[in-house]
Amino acid sequence: QVQLVESGGGLVQPGGSLRLSCAASGSIFSVNVMGWYRQAPGKQRELVAEVTRGGTTNYADSVKGRFTISRDNAKNTVYLQMNSLKPEDTAVYYCNLRAIVMATKSDYWGQGTQVTVSS
């Protein structure tokens, strides 16, 4: 019923930039949190950044000062602007949605988009 469509991943050189987008659609009554997680090979999935309904943002220490999360409430879309990318940022990035759907709190995940930082 709820779909998350991600885009923006790709190959970039160290120091380069990418912008990820995630658009949510479906019977969403209210969005509580939208965010980005990532999972690198051999590592646990970790929170990268999130933004709440009220506009509060949280970032992983490893990306502070380099990544910026933003949202377009009218489009139910969240963005992740990634600057000064490092090889350590290489991972599959997953969009996450926590929302009220069918009168209940629900948690949804996008399919993931690959980000590769390499020369």
Side-chain angles (χ1 to χ4, degrees):
Q1 188 173 26
V2 175
Q3 294 182 334
L4 301 177
V5 180
E6 300 175 329
S7 63
L11 175 64
V12 65
Q13 293 183 327
S17 298
L18 286 173
R19 190 178 79 155
L20 306 183
S21 299
C22 176
S25 62
S27 300
I28 303 172
F29 180 79
S30 179
V31 174
N32 292 332
V33 184
M34 294 192 76
W36 292 93
Y37 291 71
R38 68 185 181 187
Q39 187 167 23
K43 295 186 177 181
Q44 297 281 350
R45 184 176 299 187
E46 64 176 353
L47 173 69
V48 177
E50 63 181 5
V51 57
T52 70
R53 180 175 58 189
T56 301
T57 58
N58 294 304
Y59 296 91
D61 289 340
S62 60
V63 307
K64 287 181 179 178
R66 299 188 297 119
F67 292 9
T68 303
I69 189 169
S70 61
R71 65 180 185 178
D72 185 335
N73 290 333
K75 298 180 179 180
N76 282 334
T77 299
V78 65
Y79 306 93
L80 184 68
Q81 179 66 45
M82 303 184 293
N83 298 326
S84 301
L85 283 162
K86 304 175 181 180
E88 302 89 271
D89 296 317
T90 297
V92 177
Y93 285 70
Y94 297 91
C95 179
N96 173 254
L97 168 70
R98 280 173 273 165
I100 302 296
V101 179
M102 299 295 290
T104 61
K105 293 182 179 179
S106 302
D107 196 347
Y108 296 90
W109 292 91
Q111 79 282 1
T113 183
Q114 177 69 49
V115 172
T116 302
V117 185
S118 176
S119 60

